[in-house]
Amino acid sequence: MDFLKARSTGLTLLLTVALALGLSLAPGVPESLRPIPSLQRSGPLGPKLTALVLPASLTGKRPARPPSDTMVADAPGSPTLPPEEEEESPDAGSAVADTVPALPAVPTKPGIGLEELSAPTLARALELEALRERMGAQHVDIELNCRKAAADGTCLEDGLAPFTRALAELRADTRRTPVRVVHLGDSLIASDYITDTVRERLQERFGTGGKGFLFITRPASAGRWTRSGRGSDGWVIERLVDTKWPRDRVGWTGVAFTPGGGSQSTRYDVEGSRVAELFFLAQPTSGSVLLSVDGKALQRVQTRGFSKTKSEAAFARVSLPEGAKTLSLTTSGKVELHGVSLETGTPGVVYDAVGLLGGMAEVYLRAQPAAFRAQLRQRKPSLVVLMVGGNEAFFYSRERTTLDEVRKQMKELVARVRANVPDSACLVMSPIDAGVRTMSGEAIPRRGSKEVGDIFREEARAGGCAFWDAFTAMGGEGSALRWLDEGLMLEDLVHPRAKGSDLLGHLFDLAMQRAFAKAHSPLLNLHDPPGLQGADAALVKTFARLGRREAGESLRVGISQLGASHTASHYFTDAVREVLVKRFGDAGRGFIAAGKPSPRLEAARVARELEGEWTVEDALEAAPGGLWGLTGIRAVGGPGAKLRIQFCKGCPDAKTPPGRLDLYTLDMPGVSGPDITVDGEPMPPDAPLPEPLAAPTVRVRSFPVTGPAHTVQVAAPEGGGVTVLGASLEHETPGVVLDALGLPGATAFTLGDMDAAAVDTQLASRRPDLLVFWYGTNEAHRADLDAAELRRDYTALITRLRKATNAECLLLGPTDRLARDAEGRWQEAPALASVLDTLPRVAKDAGCAYWSPRAAMGGERAMLRWQRAQPALGHPDGVHLTPEGYARLAGAFARDFLGAYEAHKKGQPTARVEDN
């Protein structure tokens, strides 16, 4: 018997192999039905059979993956997600990194859509551009089509016009309501991949209006929690994709949540939100939902409807208190909930994403028509995106549907959207490429995606919707296999991994941005590129010294930044200093101006104190030629007055490292020198001068010190006064010293009007290797600004200071400065365009590198978006930034500066400073 079993098994295997080979080689058999389709393709048969028989290790080829048990698409009735992936760490932007990864050199064409992204987002976008190049993915423009035509056929309004018009209103600050997008799709967006990239960038360019629509809890057992609350375990979940879907109850939100086994609850993170709206079913039976904020009851919503016989979609809108952190929903009685929307209550973009596992046009058509209409109209979208087709293509490839059925269903879905929200734009996306595995485990392209995409294109055009070809953007037929090999696709050959989804979101976002750019003329017609310009020529010596320091050489790299309030606040320079000293070493705090106590210095453990009669004067309104400290400040004390500057307050006493404390004063003729103490020890009196002073003179006194913590005190003699300009502390350790020399309200003209000899002497004493100039924001506010005068005088000033210090130079342009018009709307500062045009020319004339903070913020109207960010990055005055905003801008600058430094070490050129 064992012998017969063995012969039977052998015959079965032999017959199976013969059948597989016969089907694979027979003509006329569809490729999807061939067990080993590669045998039918061109090339000799022998090597192919050898590859099948011998192990991959003997042929030197990569082993084929086993057949996937997820060969079917996310079919209705089977709501399961692909395995959840570990998320990549996002670039927080506000965090200042101590190392800067080298960005890929990507040949990006102007106009591909990278404009108006902040520096951290742009850096990530460039990484995705490099990935796009490697994968052969393409930039594909949105086909706008026509939604409204004249009698003669002339198009009056393209398919995206309501959306691009709404975005333009946000940009012009004429819109007071959010611009909402409702994006309906399948499992590709169920965990908010693809859509998260698009949402983040739209909100960065146009401002955030909030999180948008969220489910009560996760509709599936896996996936991310990003688009839902965190619900208790007893929710009963019914979906439109289920075999027994909730008929006549659910709209496009697609999922009904009812409490099973008593009261159920869910909780949302609502930081930054001021408005919440509950989506529910109003029904004849009595029930309620208690809304609580941070554990305190806010409002109870009764879910009983007015009708005694039918149920209908209903909504309850509540205001959230400022500073709210969590919103909790607790049910009582019989209720059915559909979701919650969270918004900031301010103008901006809200991007709803509803991804149903197994979603198709037919699935969304299962929604109760009245509920579909009510929910869609309640959201008042400016754009509805329809992103299905993958499951239609799968069923078509298995001959379980026809292209006629696919066409009929998409036609009806487009018609329903257009009829329900006729004033909204709509956009249809094609399915992406996918693959299947044969019986041998071989991955092959799956047919159907292109055919379904072609139908969707035709129905979008016929229905007045825009169309985006995701299939071609991904790389066309076979791209799913290439993505699999590069780790961008899951083994099921249907779902992209997180990085692949990011790339698809990147391509769609840029297509949307290009469409907006075509419809919207820039408010300022000039070239304001991001990144550090001209560094390879202007910063050769600075980068060389940094390289020697990084290689272990014991040397000091001095940087002095001169500017206005952006510099004077210390927030920007503190963050940049933190990056540089972490990488190259800390050679001391540097210069601190004399003045009143300031909380802005507390983070750096620096304190100032005035005792007695003091007057703090500045150069803003003074006559030209005055003697001032490096910041344009001087503190004038009367008899007996005392001034103290404390470095490293609260630091423990230490005997190392050795260092030097310098005191900057303005000595007067006929007045004896001040009484000076360092760390409580009186300093010896000044040696007699060779000749008495004939005029006020800047004097720098140096005192040797040890350790990081020191206090210098200056006291005016009883018979006279004293004028203090500032003090500096440096250590005799290798590293970076960065001086922040800023005067609020100053312009480049302010610095130029100060006594040249006094400024040159003090600045030379700081021994800078690099001078950073950050003026322009205040010049932008001057309606009478003479651009030619600014260019001439600023260039001459920089040239003079470079000669005095033998330093290189780097110019920072203005931030995005806005001012309110007579109607209270934000507009560009009157001379902003002129300053943005002039300062790159100044940098080029003076031989400096150039960096645009406005471009790093995101370009046009970036300040408006930074004001509305959570947390706020821009100050309500439209001029300054918040501490978080300065930290983010500093992170962008540090990344670009060190990125140029890395390129210099590798001998790679950086961007050149270009004239407009």
Side-chain angles (χ1 to χ4, degrees):
M1 292 297 293
D2 289 341
F3 172 74
L4 290 176
K5 288 181 180 178
R7 288 178 59 87
S8 175
T9 302
L11 288 171
T12 301
L13 288 172
L14 184 62
L15 288 172
T16 301
V17 171
L19 179 62
L21 290 174
L23 286 173
S24 299
L25 294 170
V29 178
E31 186 170 272
S32 61
L33 298 180
R34 298 180 188 275
I36 314 173
S38 61
L39 296 181
Q40 178 65 16
R41 297 171 193 159
S42 60
L45 182 61
K48 298 175 186 176
L49 292 173
T50 301
L52 288 173
V53 175
L54 293 179
S57 59
L58 296 181
T59 63
K61 294 183 179 180
R62 185 176 179 179
R65 295 178 177 86
S68 171
D69 59 359
T70 54
M71 188 171 175
V72 298
D74 36 299
S78 306
T80 57
L81 273 175
E84 188 170 1
E85 297 183 68
E86 189 173 318
E87 295 183 56
E88 298 178 18
S89 298
D91 190 338
S94 58
V96 184
D98 60 322
T99 59
V100 179
L103 294 179
V106 182
T108 56
K109 299 177 183 177
I112 65 171
L114 291 172
E115 300 81 9
E116 301 177 10
L117 294 176
S118 69
T121 307
L122 178 60
R124 174 60 177 152
L126 290 176
E127 293 172 358
L128 290 171
E129 271 298 288
L131 181 61
R132 179 192 66 79
E133 291 260 325
R134 192 170 78 245
M135 299 308 303
Q138 301 179 37
H139 289 298
V140 175
D141 285 343
I142 292 172
E143 300 169 25
L144 297 176
N145 298 324
C146 185
R147 59 179 271 107
K148 189 179 296 184
D152 62 358
T154 304
C155 186
L156 301 176
E157 192 172 82
D158 67 60
L160 275 188
F163 179 58
T164 55
R165 187 165 54 242
L167 292 179
E169 291 168 356
L170 280 180
R171 182 62 53 83
D173 195 32
T174 59
R175 186 182 182 94
R176 294 293 173 261
T177 56
V179 173
R180 298 187 183 92
V181 179
V182 172
H183 189 131
L184 306 180
D186 51 27
S187 58
L188 297 187
I189 64 166
S191 286
D192 202 34
Y193 291 122
I194 301 176
T195 43
D196 56 356
T197 298
V198 180
R199 180 187 302 107
E200 288 166 9
R201 293 194 189 172
L202 279 172
Q203 291 183 338
E204 183 171 289
R205 291 189 184 101
F206 300 98
T208 177
K211 295 181 178 181
F213 179 82
L214 306 172
F215 286 122
I216 296 300
T217 191
R218 282 192 314 189
S221 59
R224 299 194 297 175
W225 293 88
T226 53
R227 304 306 295 171
S228 73
R230 288 187 175 267
S232 53
D233 294 334
W235 288 100
V236 176
I237 302 173
E238 300 172 274
R239 315 162 186 84
L240 286 179
V241 297
D242 295 341
T243 304
K244 295 181 179 180
W245 68 84
R247 300 174 185 270
D248 299 327
R249 288 155 47 198
V250 179
W252 56 263
T253 54
V255 186
F257 300 86
T258 55
S263 175
Q264 299 297 325
S265 64
T266 189
R267 179 172 52 83
Y268 298 90
D269 172 10
V270 296
E271 286 194 78
S273 302
R274 296 302 305 276
V275 179
E277 188 163 33
L278 178 65
F279 287 50
F280 64 96
L281 186 71
Q283 47 192 334
T285 54
S286 181
S288 66
V289 181
L290 176 64
L291 280 67
S292 303
V293 172
D294 298 333
K296 297 180 181 179
L298 177 69
Q299 184 172 326
R300 182 174 290 278
V301 175
Q302 302 294 331
T303 62
R304 184 171 185 173
F306 294 108
S307 173
K308 295 183 179 179
T309 58
K310 67 174 185 177
S311 301
E312 59 184 358
F315 315 91
R317 187 180 179 91
V318 297
S319 296
L320 303 177
E322 186 173 1
K325 290 182 170 50
T326 61
L327 171 68
S328 299
L329 276 58
T330 305
T331 67
S332 177
K334 184 177 180 180
V335 299
E336 177 176 305
L337 306 183
H338 299 152
V340 169
S341 71
L342 296 174
E343 298 186 0
T344 63
T346 59
V349 172
V350 179
Y351 203 105
D352 297 342
V354 172
L356 301 181
L357 310 183
M360 300 188 295
E362 182 271 331
V363 167
Y364 282 103
L365 290 172
R366 296 177 182 179
Q368 204 269 343
F372 190 100
R373 178 175 61 252
Q375 290 182 345
L376 203 54
R377 290 182 176 179
Q378 187 70 14
R379 293 306 286 151
K380 299 181 179 65
S382 297
L383 172 65
V384 178
V385 179
L386 302 177
M387 183 183 175
V388 292
N391 291 301
E392 285 92 334
F394 170 77
F395 288 129
Y396 170 70
S397 73
R398 290 293 180 262
E399 299 182 355
R400 291 164 61 183
T401 190
T402 66
L403 294 180
D404 287 340
E405 281 295 314
V406 171
R407 183 184 299 277
K408 177 184 176 182
Q409 292 159 3
M410 178 51 71
K411 183 189 293 289
E412 186 176 348
L413 183 57
V414 167
R416 180 176 291 191
V417 170
R418 288 298 312 276
N420 289 339
V421 281
D423 295 330
S424 302
C426 56
L427 183 147
V428 177
M429 294 174 64
S430 77
I432 63 173
D433 187 49
V436 294
R437 292 192 184 279
T438 64
M439 292 175 60
S440 67
E442 181 183 9
I444 61 172
R446 187 193 69 192
R447 73 186 183 104
S449 291
K450 185 179 186 306
E451 293 87 342
V452 171
D454 289 343
I455 288 174
F456 282 12
R457 171 184 277 111
E458 294 166 6
E459 293 308 314
R461 185 185 303 117
C465 295
F467 175 79
W468 188 63
D469 190 348
F471 177 81
T472 300
M474 185 178 177
E477 184 174 353
S479 55
L481 307 188
R482 297 193 298 272
W483 283 38
L484 177 69
D485 289 339
E486 292 293 327
L488 302 185
M489 208 79 177
L490 289 174
E491 294 292 336
D492 64 6
L493 288 165
V494 173
H495 300 93
R497 292 185 180 273
K499 188 173 289 186
S501 296
D502 287 348
L503 179 54
L504 287 171
H506 168 78
L507 293 170
F508 182 47
D509 164 74
L510 296 190
M512 296 249 278
Q513 177 63 9
R514 291 194 299 273
F516 173 73
K518 290 177 182 177
H520 169 72
S521 299
L523 299 174
L524 299 180
N525 190 19
L526 51 80
H527 185 54
D528 183 25
L532 189 58
Q533 313 291 313
D536 50 352
L539 304 182
V540 174
K541 292 192 297 182
T542 301
F543 287 163
R545 287 187 68 84
L546 289 173
R548 290 162 54 196
R549 169 77 280 277
E550 193 170 30
E553 190 171 338
S554 181
L555 54 79
R556 170 190 183 275
V557 181
I559 302 174
S560 293
Q561 178 172 310
L562 301 103
S565 54
H566 295 323
T567 302
S569 72
H570 291 276
Y571 296 128
F572 179 88
T573 48
D574 280 355
V576 173
R577 181 185 297 107
E578 181 181 354
V579 174
L580 296 181
V581 301
K582 206 166 188 179
R583 180 162 180 176
F584 301 103
D586 186 356
R589 171 68 197 187
F591 186 88
I592 296 293
K596 299 175 182 178
S598 171
R600 295 173 180 175
L601 294 171
E602 291 176 358
R605 294 186 171 185
V606 174
R608 294 187 302 217
E609 185 179 353
L610 299 178
E611 180 181 324
E613 181 184 343
W614 285 94
T615 302
V616 179
E617 303 171 345
D618 65 55
L620 289 178
E621 302 297 331
L627 295 165
W628 303 95
L630 287 171
T631 65
I633 292 286
R634 61 191 182 206
V636 181
K642 297 179 181 179
L643 175 148
R644 283 180 288 275
I645 298 178
Q646 187 173 3
F647 294 91
C648 209
K649 182 179 180 180
C651 294
D653 292 335
K655 299 300 182 182
T656 58
R660 189 187 77 213
L661 194 153
D662 291 346
L663 177 66
Y664 292 69
T665 61
L666 187 61
D667 288 2
M668 301 295 180
V671 177
S672 59
D675 297 325
I676 302 168
T677 63
V678 174
D679 300 330
E681 294 291 328
M683 296 295 101
D686 298 329
L689 296 173
E691 295 182 7
L693 294 177
T697 303
V698 172
R699 185 165 183 182
V700 182
R701 297 173 172 86
S702 294
F703 309 101
V705 292
T706 57
H710 301 285
T711 301
V712 58
Q713 176 179 287
V714 184
E718 290 299 332
V722 65
T723 300
V724 184
L725 306 178
S728 71
L729 176 66
E730 295 194 22
H731 308 307
E732 292 180 12
T733 54
V736 171
V737 176
L738 197 165
D739 298 326
L741 310 174
L743 174 63
T747 65
F749 299 113
T750 307
L751 181 60
D753 285 343
M754 292 160 54
D755 182 83
V759 171
D760 293 0
T761 298
Q762 294 177 78
L763 199 55
S765 75
R766 297 303 309 133
R767 299 179 294 146
D769 298 289
L770 175 63
L771 295 174
V772 178
F773 298 90
W774 194 359
Y775 296 102
T777 302
N778 292 316
E779 286 88 337
H781 191 60
R782 295 174 59 167
D784 60 346
L785 180 71
D786 185 331
E789 179 187 17
L790 174 62
R791 181 176 181 180
R792 181 192 66 236
D793 291 356
Y794 200 179
T795 301
L797 172 66
I798 294 170
T799 302
R800 191 196 87 208
L801 295 177
R802 290 193 65 192
K803 183 178 180 180
T805 59
N806 195 31
E808 293 179 319
C809 56
L810 189 163
L811 257 68
L812 307 186
T815 52
D816 186 44
R817 177 159 186 169
L818 303 180
R820 291 192 183 275
D821 62 15
E823 299 180 4
R825 294 176 301 192
W826 289 107
Q827 302 288 344
E828 279 70 24
L832 180 61
S834 180
V835 172
L836 287 168
D837 179 67
T838 301
L839 293 195
R841 302 176 191 270
V842 172
K844 192 173 182 180
D845 294 345
C848 303
Y850 180 78
W851 189 75
S852 172
R854 176 180 178 269
M857 290 172 66
E860 184 176 274
R861 294 288 173 91
M863 178 60 79
L864 202 59
R865 305 189 292 277
W866 280 43
Q867 288 174 329
R868 294 170 179 170
Q870 296 292 337
L873 304 174
H875 194 276
D877 63 9
V879 180
H880 302 94
L881 307 182
T882 63
E884 294 83 0
Y886 281 117
R888 173 166 294 193
L889 194 63
F893 172 75
R895 184 185 185 106
D896 285 347
F897 181 82
L898 293 179
Y901 164 69
E902 292 290 345
H904 173 82
K905 288 199 302 183
K906 297 174 183 177
Q908 299 171 348
T910 60
R912 293 178 298 174
V913 180
E914 297 181 3
D915 294 336
N916 278 290

